[in-house]
Amino acid sequence: MAPRVGLTTERLTQAAATLADEVGFDQVTVSELARRFDVKVASLYSHVRNSHDLKTRIALLALEELADRAADALAGRAGKDALVALANVYRDYAREHPGRYAAAQFRLDPETAAASAGVRHARMTRALLRGYDLDEPDQTHAVRLLGSVFHGYVSIEMGGGFSHSTPDTEETWSRVLDALDALLRTWPPAS
């Protein structure tokens, strides 16, 4: 079957990413995407294999977009300035693109993950941590800590978990980043 004129894998991936932001990443299917383009589902199978393939493509797009933003934000920064810049990239991206942000958490097979922009994220986070003078394995522990705090805070905030109490989430976010900076500067020795 010849592909439908105007439909490309890239165009479908972008449309699916937009759909994810509108309805939620978990709701994205090839069927829903076909409805958006007013085509039969079979028309899309020359571009994407199935919904899992489509979700993988959205995840790869989101990881790439996040990595590009992070690289721009980190350029010329070090220490706490770099930490805050990276944290804000994740938080801002989640606010602007909630479905894509969820897609960035999608579990990829090892080969796909190794070829993804996720590798760039890890490299940038490790580069940021050089300003804190951490050696291995503490550097890996710190990468995991930052990812956990950024994702945890953003996920709770996006779910409305902080909206019913004071202080304002902006104030808390700032204090969390201050605390992370202090922790990274005084990382405890292994016990």
Side-chain angles (χ1 to χ4, degrees):
M1 173 184 276
R4 185 175 172 102
V5 176
L7 291 182
T8 64
T9 304
E10 294 76 23
R11 184 170 175 219
L12 291 171
T13 302
Q14 284 289 340
T18 299
L19 178 62
D21 288 338
E22 293 170 5
V23 302
F25 179 65
D26 291 340
Q27 302 304 312
V28 175
T29 63
V30 175
S31 299
E32 183 58 34
L33 190 59
R35 277 193 281 285
R36 290 281 171 118
F37 282 93
D38 196 27
V39 298
K40 295 189 183 311
V41 173
S43 303
L44 302 187
Y45 287 130
S46 60
H47 303 287
V48 294
R49 290 186 306 273
N50 52 39
S51 289
H52 186 272
D53 179 45
L54 183 61
K55 287 183 175 187
T56 298
R57 291 175 186 281
I58 299 167
L60 293 172
L61 171 69
L63 288 168
E64 191 71 36
E65 289 176 345
L66 267 167
D68 290 346
R69 286 185 180 202
D72 289 346
L74 290 172
R77 292 192 162 112
K80 185 178 179 189
D81 287 343
L83 173 69
V84 170
L86 183 64
N88 285 333
V89 163
Y90 285 103
R91 188 172 182 226
D92 293 346
Y93 189 80
R95 288 173 163 178
E96 293 168 33
H97 300 291
R100 293 176 204 212
Y101 181 77
Q105 314 309 314
F106 189 62
R107 186 181 188 111
L108 302 172
D109 66 74
E111 185 177 313
T112 303
S116 77
V119 175
R120 285 176 57 206
H121 291 267
R123 276 198 315 258
M124 285 185 278
T125 304
R126 286 181 184 281
L128 174 157
L129 290 172
R130 281 197 294 271
Y132 291 100
D133 197 31
L134 295 175
D135 295 321
E136 284 301 342
D138 290 333
Q139 194 176 89
T140 296
H141 297 317
V143 167
R144 292 173 179 168
L145 172 70
L146 293 179
S148 298
V149 172
F150 298 165
H151 179 65
Y153 192 93
V154 166
S155 296
I156 293 169
E157 183 180 40
M158 297 289 292
F162 300 140
S163 62
H164 57 286
S165 63
T166 58
D168 181 74
T169 58
E170 294 300 322
E171 182 180 340
T172 302
W173 180 247
S174 178
R175 296 292 292 143
V176 164
L177 297 179
D178 289 344
L180 283 173
D181 175 62
L183 172 63
L184 292 170
R185 281 186 282 110
T186 60
W187 192 264
S191 53

